């Protein structure tokens, strides 16, 4: 089974979460999304779940 990896580079102080909309818009049901806790946001989790994928995101300390 082949695994696809995608990445992008942001400028300076830009946050990584907004560009993830593009990276997460074509997930497959059952696909596992493993990301850093910086991506622990309800809208990101919902985007993953709505496509039937599984999120593996450690919670932020303020959650």
């Amino acid at each position: 089974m082949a695994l696809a990896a995608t990445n992008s580079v942001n400028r300076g102080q830009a946050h990584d979460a907004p560009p993830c909309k593009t990276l997460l818009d074509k997930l497959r049901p059952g696909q596992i999304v493993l990301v850093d806790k910086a991506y622990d946001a309800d809208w990101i989790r919902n985007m993953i779940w709505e496509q039937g994928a599984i999120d593996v995101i450690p919670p932020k300390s303020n959650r």
Side-chain angles (χ1 to χ4, degrees), residues 8-25 33 35-45 47-48 57 60 63:
S8 66
V9 178
N10 297 326
R11 296 177 297 156
Q13 300 298 316
H15 193 275
D16 293 332
C20 83
K21 286 182 183 180
T22 303
L23 297 174
L24 298 176
D25 68 347
V33 179
V35 296
D36 185 78
K37 67 182 174 181
Y39 295 90
D40 181 20
D42 291 335
W43 69 269
I44 293 174
R45 289 180 184 273
M47 187 174 186
I48 294 168
I57 306 172
K60 289 183 188 176
R63 184 170 273 275

Side-chain angles (χ1 to χ4, degrees), residues 26 31 36:
K26 293 186 174 114
Q31 185 172 359
D36 185 78

